C-alpha cells in the first residue's frame, strides 16, 4: 500500500512540475482521481498569469493517457 501511495505522490509531483512550466501558476489544486477520491467531479484547478491554455490541455491529456 505504501508503494502505491508513493507512486501516486511521484506522479502528482511530475504533473505539478509539467503544468507549472506553462505559465506563472499561482495555485494548483489536484483533487478527485489525483488524490484517490473519484467522487469529486473537478480534478484540476489552475490559477495563474500568462498560462498557455493549449499546452496545459495537451499536458493534462498526455498525463491522463499515461496514468
Amino acid at each position: 500500500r505504501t508503494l502505491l501511495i508513493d507512486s501516486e505522490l511521484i506522479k502528482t509531483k511530475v504533473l505539478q512540475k509539467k503544468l507549472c512550466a506553462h505559465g506563472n501558476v499561482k495555485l494548483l489544486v489536484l483533487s478527485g482521481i489525483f488524490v484517490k477520491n473519484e467522487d469529486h467531479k473537478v480534478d484540476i484547478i489552475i490559477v495563474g498569469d500568462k498560462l498557455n491554455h493549449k499546452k496545459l490541455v495537451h499536458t493534462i491529456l498526455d498525463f491522463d493517457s499515461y496514468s
Side-chain angles (χ1 to χ4, degrees):
R1 180 178 165 108
T2 302
L3 182 59
L4 292 175
I5 292 170
D6 289 345
S7 171
E8 290 303 314
L9 181 60
I10 290 169
K11 286 182 189 177
T12 301
K13 293 281 187 188
V14 169
L15 179 61
Q16 175 187 358
K17 185 175 181 178
K18 287 182 178 186
L19 292 175
C20 288
H22 300 310
N24 183 17
V25 176
K26 296 183 179 201
L27 175 69
L28 176 62
V29 178
L30 302 175
S31 66
I33 63 168
F34 293 102
V35 292
K36 293 296 184 191
N37 185 348
E38 297 181 15
D39 295 332
H40 291 0
K41 295 188 187 259
V42 175
D43 292 314
I44 301 175
I45 299 171
I46 303 171
V47 178
D49 298 322
K50 299 179 184 174
L51 298 173
N52 186 322
H53 182 263
K54 195 177 241 183
K55 287 184 178 180
L56 285 170
V57 169
H58 183 269
T59 297
I60 292 166
L61 292 174
D62 187 46
F63 190 82
D64 187 41
S65 67
Y66 173 76
S67 296

